[in-house]
Amino acid sequence: VLSKDLCAATHSREFTELVRDFVRDELAPRTGLVPPLGIQRYLNVRIMLPDRPQGVFPFHTGLLYGHGEASRSLWMPLTDVRDASMSSASLQIVGLDESRVLAESAREARLGIDEMAERFGAASWPVSAGPGDVLLFTQENIHGNVVNVTGRTRVSIDFRVAEARFGDRLARKIAGGYFGLLDTAGNSPRAARPTGRQNVLYLNNNTRSTEGVPVHLQRLMVLDYCRAHGIDYHFEYFELERMDHLPTLAHAVANLECDIVLYSIYALPEGPAARTAILDSALERGLCLHFVNEDVVVADRQDREHLEGILAFARWGQSET
Ligand SMILES: [Fe+2]
């Protein structure tokens, strides 16, 4: 519970600013990360108590948990694990080349969790680091924990950063939801604000991002958002299958006197012309569009720049695949 509260606290304004300053002013110049950058919105704070075999996280790579090859992980110990006697409290990591070979062979040999723990663990070494140190590693590096037998609790923070130049290679952790943008126009999230208009919900399976998300699951997230923001809704629209220009959404923004709650910014058309027409129409008519997955509201030009900034980061509609 404490760990979850701490992770939530990393989303506070003050902490977010601290992380942004650190990534912009310290990390990027020293590591060659090229801006624009995205930063994980909720950081992980981990408390590793001693002698808790059940709390040991199995060895894994970021790729195996749906992260794209383009992001980098940062690990920052808040307690000192530099001394050799502290090695079991530290992060255990495997070199890149060996990680690639081991991960592929584990998949091919259909290894179980215990077998992977044994093989990956044997190839790993403990990171020697203390407060103020940062370890930067790729989504291909195998890493994990062993049982902390130091008798002391280890606390660490970890999060990921992503570069816009590879923004279409973030696998399931697409910009906007998982990553917030650093230093782009209107990058501070705008709170949902009541307009007094009626609301309608809009769902589709028509884009690359939404085609794999069943509507009943989209609906759960949308309803959750409505509850959290006190949004009452009156109707649900569902898009016509295989109509990439999203005629139902175009109709809604052009004709309804309603604000619209959408599952995601990636439910908008990938093609800039169709997307521009929809956003033009919504803004001209003073409608408010809610995008649940990214917690983004578009009601004016600045909001729209923010939205387009995220889509550009993700290379939405631009990548070859
Ligand atoms: Fe990890």
Side-chain angles (χ1 to χ4, degrees):
V1 174
L2 174 61
S3 205
K4 278 199 173 140
D5 286 350
L6 287 170
C7 292
T10 65
H11 201 55
S12 72
R13 191 170 194 86
E14 295 80 3
F15 200 86
T16 303
E17 286 303 320
L18 196 69
V19 173
R20 287 184 166 186
D21 289 349
F22 166 71
V23 170
R24 184 196 309 107
D25 303 335
E26 301 288 336
L27 185 75
R30 290 185 194 206
T31 58
L33 286 170
V34 178
L37 297 172
I39 304 176
Q40 189 175 324
R41 284 169 68 204
Y42 291 88
L43 278 58
N44 300 311
V45 182
R46 303 188 202 264
I47 301 171
M48 192 192 187
L49 298 171
D51 307 315
R52 298 284 174 98
Q54 69 277 23
V56 169
F57 210 74
F59 279 89
H60 62 279
T61 68
L63 293 189
L64 291 170
Y65 279 117
H67 295 278
E69 61 198 326
S71 64
R72 294 287 176 269
S73 292
L74 276 88
W75 184 74
M76 312 166 83
L78 302 184
T79 49
D80 199 335
V81 290
R82 281 175 298 183
D83 195 87
S85 67
M86 292 300 292
S87 63
S88 66
S90 188
L91 178 78
Q92 317 291 317
I93 194 157
V94 179
L96 185 55
D97 290 341
E98 198 169 5
S99 291
R100 286 173 173 155
V101 173
L102 284 171
E104 185 54 23
S105 66
R107 195 184 60 80
E108 278 171 4
R110 305 172 74 88
L111 295 187
I113 294 290
D114 289 342
E115 292 168 307
M116 277 188 263
E118 196 182 319
R119 286 199 203 176
F120 295 174
S124 73
W125 69 84
V127 174
S128 173
D133 290 333
V134 176
L135 173 75
L136 191 68
F137 60 98
T138 76
Q139 303 313 315
E140 293 183 276
N141 280 100
I142 292 172
H143 58 282
N145 296 325
V146 294
V147 180
N148 175 1
V149 293
T150 64
R152 296 167 74 171
T153 298
R154 180 263 274 176
V155 183
S156 62
I157 292 183
D158 59 271
F159 63 100
R160 290 180 172 84
V161 289
E163 296 167 288
R165 58 183 176 148
F166 304 125
D168 55 342
R169 289 156 66 184
L170 295 171
R172 300 186 194 281
K173 311 292 178 172
I174 198 161
Y178 187 81
F179 289 103
L181 270 49
L182 175 70
D183 293 339
T184 51
N187 62 9
S188 30
R190 309 286 295 268
R193 31 200 190 273
T195 62
R197 263 188 301 271
Q198 293 197 334
N199 299 283
V200 294
L201 312 184
Y202 169 81
L203 306 175
N204 74 34
N205 286 132
N206 297 52
T207 71
R208 274 192 297 142
S209 235
T210 57
E211 68 185 353
V213 189
V215 279
H216 61 281
L217 297 183
Q218 294 189 31
R219 189 179 295 120
L220 283 179
M221 270 185 74
V222 167
L223 294 181
D224 215 35
Y225 176 93
C226 288
R227 247 190 313 275
H229 294 284
I231 293 173
D232 198 14
Y233 69 96
H234 300 269
F235 201 73
E236 176 185 298
Y237 280 92
F238 186 68
E239 192 53 81
L240 302 172
E241 200 74 36
R242 297 182 59 233
M243 294 263 183
D244 293 352
H245 58 304
L246 311 186
T248 305
L249 180 59
H251 172 80
V253 294
N255 296 288
L256 301 182
E257 286 302 326
C258 292
D259 293 339
I260 304 175
V261 185
L262 298 90
Y263 164 66
S264 167
I265 62 172
Y266 299 99
L268 290 170
E270 288 190 56
R275 186 169 71 244
T276 298
I278 284 169
L279 293 174
D280 280 349
S281 189
L283 291 192
E284 270 164 28
R285 300 187 60 242
L287 305 183
C288 176
L289 304 179
H290 298 261
F291 298 94
V292 169
N293 183 52
E294 296 78 23
D295 202 5
V296 161
V297 173
V298 173
D300 61 28
R301 257 189 41 224
Q302 193 193 343
D303 297 336
R304 181 183 184 164
E305 271 177 46
H306 177 212
L307 176 139
E308 288 292 352
I310 301 172
L311 294 176
F313 190 103
R315 300 172 61 81
W316 185 237
Q318 300 166 39
S319 66
E320 307 85 64
T321 48

